[in-house]
Amino acid sequence: MNKVAKLEIEGKVYELPIVEGSEGEKAVDISHLRQQSGYITLDDGYGNTGSCKSAITFIDGEKGILRYRGIPIEELAEKASFVETAYLIIYGKLPDHAELQRFSDLLTQNEMLHEDLKFHFEGFPPNAHPMAILSAMINASSCFHQRLLGPLDDETFELQAARLLSKVRTIAAFAYRKSRGLPTIYPKPVYKYTANFLHMMFSQPFQDYELKPEIVRALDLIFLLHADHEQNCSTATVRMIASSKANLFASAAGGVCAIWGPLHGGANMEVIQMLEDIHREGDDGSRFITAAKDKASGKKLMGFGHRVYRHYDPRAKIIKKQCDDLLAVLKRADPLLDIAKKLEDAALHDSYFIERKLYPNVDFYSGIIMRAIGIPIEMFTVMFAIGRMPGWIANYKEIMDGQGARIYRPRQIYTGPTLQHYRTISERR
Ligand code: ACO
């Protein structure tokens, strides 16, 4: 028998279906509540709203669990590459040899940008933020692949997905080179995904960048750890845009804009700026912790807290270890890592953070690795966006495949003026 929840409003009882997910998550389906009762539900910030059913990523925020298509993030981080993980997220299964080869070949075949698209970079001022360029250029890409904007059969989707996933790193590297007044470096088909990106970022026309395997692996891992995270702000944005049946490039461009914000992907930049400030001011972190607890200070401990995790973010654990390993291999010390560890230790023993269940999130240590790799701070959020692309693509596909899917269109409780009438300008005071 189907389970129902009962809701009583003004003496009338409404039966609402209960929906259960494959991991036992439970929801009350209120989709017909307004029709039945005239009431909607109100959930500012959607903290308690399931906007969809999805088979891509599972998170248990209380226990600190993250799985892509059922596979724990820890196993993927140890054994898989970003490209293999991207395949898993997009197609729902780990690829066999032939599938992985075909996917990798498609990425290689689509790594170049249309030469005319390249000219669009010239229109941006030298200090343009790379996230603005990334979003604009992903959107502009749809002008160059118009054949792919029609009905979404499997072949078209495969090509769209490969184009976007491959070209995003070329666009990102070109955006960086443009922002620094450097000549663009074309991709090399012999390199794998992440190595090719580093080559486009750091090679010079007269000298190839030396690809250290540890650095390639560290960045590949960062991409992998960011590859999906269920209905976060940017993914929900991508789904929202896709629900209007906009194309994949337009939907992903919107995702880039959403992830840019400092409370979302932009936090990785903010963490480093915070650590640099603390370092410059000679604080051991304790003054900052005091300020972060005081709402009037306007400060937050960036890289801490998460809407879903009320436990240590499992990605932060992996990144912290990777951070230690990479700095050891490169024989580098970073004073910001010491400050970060002190802040973490202080916060994890402080009642303010304990009571609110605030733990390090994925952004807390990722910036320190990126600094060690040589990625400039303004490109940190771009790295996040490249990594998140498989998740956006997979979520886009779920929307497009949705049986009878409706356009996303939340309601609101109106709090503005009641009926007013137009007054001519001389009647207004
Ligand atoms: N430092 C200090 N206090 C914090 C922090 C923080 N980093 N995060 C939350 N709090 C406090 C809030 O002020 C609030 O206090 P109150 O109950 O006394 O009012 C309480 O903890 C609960 O926080 P919420 O605001 O309800 O948390 P919410 O789920 O809305 O926000 C968010 C989550 C945006 C991540 C928040 O924790 C934050 O701003 N963190 C810093 C920015 C950051 O690291 N963002 C990256 C998130 S991960 C990602 O996007 C990849």
Side-chain angles (χ1 to χ4, degrees), residues 263-264 267 295 300-301 303-305 307 352 356 361 363 384:
L263 294 190
H264 190 10
K295 303 254 185 308
K300 271 185 170 180
L301 182 53
F304 253 72
R307 173 59 62 82
Y352 174 96
R356 289 169 179 76
N361 61 46
D363 293 320
F384 194 156

Side-chain angles (χ1 to χ4, degrees), residues 173-325:
F174 280 22
Y176 166 66
R177 306 284 301 188
K178 160 75 190 162
S179 71
R180 294 287 165 111
L182 295 166
T184 45
I185 300 292
Y186 284 75
K188 273 193 183 177
V190 289
Y191 291 145
K192 291 191 179 250
Y193 190 92
T194 301
N196 215 347
F197 172 67
L198 285 163
H199 159 70
M200 287 188 277
M201 284 281 291
F202 299 127
S203 285
Q204 297 298 352
F206 49 86
Q207 190 172 31
D208 271 5
Y209 168 77
E210 187 195 339
L211 287 162
K212 290 202 173 86
E214 298 85 5
I215 288 191
V216 177
R217 176 61 193 145
L219 187 57
D220 201 72
L221 181 67
I222 292 214
F223 290 155
L224 183 156
L225 293 174
H226 287 88
D228 194 40
H229 212 237
E230 54 120 296
Q231 301 312 311
N232 56 85
C233 176
S234 55
T235 303
T237 302
V238 168
R239 285 186 87 112
M240 170 74 82
I241 300 173
S243 79
S244 76
K245 304 289 180 250
N247 68 72
L248 177 59
F249 298 100
S251 304
V256 172
C257 293
I259 213 170
W260 188 1
L263 294 190
H264 190 10
N268 54 16
M269 278 174 70
E270 303 271 331
V271 169
I272 292 297
Q273 275 154 1
M274 171 187 79
L275 295 173
E276 280 174 346
D277 288 348
I278 294 173
H279 185 48
R280 201 174 29 252
E281 287 160 15
D283 177 12
D284 64 355
S286 49
R287 286 207 305 271
F288 191 88
I289 289 279
T290 307
K293 294 189 285 181
D294 174 10
K295 303 254 185 308
S297 75
K299 290 188 176 161
K300 271 185 170 180
L301 182 53
M302 300 308 284
F304 253 72
H306 199 277
R307 173 59 62 82
V308 178
Y309 293 117
R310 300 298 173 193
H311 200 284
Y312 212 104
D313 180 336
R315 303 166 300 173
K317 249 185 222 163
I318 298 167
I319 289 192
K320 185 180 179 187
K321 178 165 183 323
Q322 177 64 45
C323 202
D324 282 331
D325 293 352

